[in-house]
Amino acid sequence: MKRGIAVLVSVSALCGIAYFTASKWAIRHETITFYDASRDNRPVPVDIAIRRDKEMQANAGMITMPVAVINHGNTVKNTEYGFLANVFAARGYLVVSPQHDLPTDPPMVTKPGELYVGRLPQILRGVANIHLAMQEMKKVQPNADYEKVTMVGHSMGGDITMYFAKQYPDEVKKVVTLDNLRVPFVTAGKFKILSFRSSDPQFKVDAGVIPTDEECEKAGIQVVKTEFQHNDMRDTGPDAAKNSIQGMLDKFLSDTDSEVAPVDTRSSPPKILEPGPVALMAPAKS
């Protein structure tokens, strides 16, 4: 099977669902609101997920944590991707999830024929939120690598992620998207890309967004076609979808972050585990 396309498969760690379901003592979640003076003090709530033992080590100056930025879909809360945040946090990442739209923002109006169907203003707002979050997080947790971050996003958040990677490639370590539909993939090959695709007929990807098999192979892009629906790819989705995505994501991180391993959240005190083997299985029907 080509690296670029993994068709209708899902991956699950043999150690089971509990391997990824972080307990309260293992991973800490906190929301901090930052204010952007350049945009009339616009509030940007940021959800943070961090492994407690790694936080202590970072605070002591013993380590520098990698950073993952998770970008939510349109009208979805930044806290609705805990199943993704916990995978990254379990591996020692500092996870930062900005809230890109606020109740006071005007509704998004799509305009067929315009760039990204008229969504560029919302995308640029998301980019500004990300840069603000990175700038302010340096004050909150200075012992993290904000120079090269892993960008993650679902739907509209996936478009923000891909646009950010296109505009600021030197600030990106790798990219993970879930059903981004408008912004074409970055094919320069500067970083690895993993993208999950739904089979939802109501959410059709624009022409030219997903590269060809040959382009994926050359650029280090892995596209995973699933039988899941577009809205299955967040916390409210079925366990079958979330477990499948978690397994493939963990395998991707295991391949690209050999120095970082997840914590076993089922026992106490924390014990660092090496990534376990994975099994391929047919995806559950939705």
Side-chain angles (χ1 to χ4, degrees):
M1 180 182 295
K2 291 185 176 181
R3 178 176 178 80
I5 303 290
V7 182
L8 296 178
V9 298
S10 64
V11 177
S12 177
L14 293 179
C15 51
I17 299 173
Y19 179 77
F20 294 112
T21 307
S23 65
K24 292 182 179 179
W25 62 259
I27 294 174
R28 181 176 70 82
H29 287 262
E30 177 186 7
T31 296
I32 302 177
T33 299
F34 301 123
Y35 294 88
D36 191 345
S38 68
R39 292 182 290 167
D40 296 323
N41 279 335
R42 177 188 175 88
V44 181
V46 174
D47 186 71
I48 299 167
I50 188 170
R51 213 172 89 186
R52 294 178 187 274
D53 61 327
K54 292 298 183 180
E55 181 178 26
M56 290 188 291
Q57 292 174 23
N59 288 340
M62 298 170 60
I63 63 170
T64 299
M65 292 181 292
V67 175
V69 179
I70 298 181
N71 301 292
H72 62 84
N74 182 45
T75 73
V76 180
K77 297 296 184 184
N78 62 330
T79 54
E80 292 188 45
Y81 296 90
F83 84 105
L84 294 176
N86 285 342
V87 174
F88 283 98
R91 284 192 162 271
Y93 279 74
L94 169 64
V95 185
V96 179
S97 304
Q99 180 65 42
H100 293 306
D101 48 48
L102 302 173
T104 53
D105 291 333
M108 181 173 63
V109 179
T110 58
K111 300 177 181 178
E114 292 192 8
L115 185 63
Y116 313 135
V117 199
R119 301 186 182 197
L120 185 57
Q122 285 76 21
I123 292 173
L124 293 176
R125 183 175 66 200
V127 170
N129 291 340
I130 293 168
H131 276 141
L132 174 71
M134 294 299 96
Q135 174 185 327
E136 296 301 318
M137 281 302 302
K138 290 178 182 178
K139 305 172 187 176
V140 177
Q141 178 47 265
N143 294 314
D145 182 7
Y146 302 101
E147 303 304 316
K148 286 274 191 179
V149 303
T150 294
M151 294 295 300
V152 187
H154 171 230
S155 191
M156 181 68 177
D159 287 325
I160 293 172
T161 290
M162 201 63 73
Y163 185 90
F164 188 99
K166 181 186 290 287
Q167 297 299 318
Y168 305 99
D170 293 338
E171 298 178 23
V172 175
K173 186 176 182 181
K174 48 186 168 286
V175 167
V176 179
T177 69
L178 302 93
D179 237 19
N180 59 303
L181 305 174
R182 311 297 178 187
V183 179
F185 280 54
V186 178
T187 57
K190 287 190 173 183
F191 36 75
K192 300 293 184 182
I193 298 176
L194 172 67
S195 183
F196 297 92
R197 316 306 308 179
S198 78
S199 58
D200 195 328
Q202 296 185 25
F203 293 86
K204 294 186 179 297
V205 62
D206 288 349
V209 169
I210 302 177
T212 65
D213 292 7
E214 292 74 19
E215 288 174 320
C216 288
E217 184 76 21
K218 183 177 180 181
I221 299 171
Q222 185 176 3
V223 175
V224 181
K225 295 182 179 180
T226 77
E227 291 185 349
F228 304 127
Q229 299 300 294
H230 180 81
N231 288 324
D232 289 347
M233 297 177 171
R234 51 191 172 107
D235 285 351
T236 55
D239 288 341
K242 292 182 290 186
N243 295 340
S244 175
I245 292 169
Q246 284 178 320
M248 181 66 81
L249 174 59
D250 187 70
K251 177 63 166 58
F252 175 73
L253 296 177
S254 178
D255 291 343
T256 57
D257 287 336
S258 58
E259 75 283 1
V260 184
V263 64
D264 182 358
T265 62
R266 297 168 294 175
S267 60
S268 180
K271 178 181 179 182
I272 305 303
L273 300 179
E274 292 299 325
V278 295
L280 294 177
M281 61 185 71
K285 298 292 184 181
S286 56

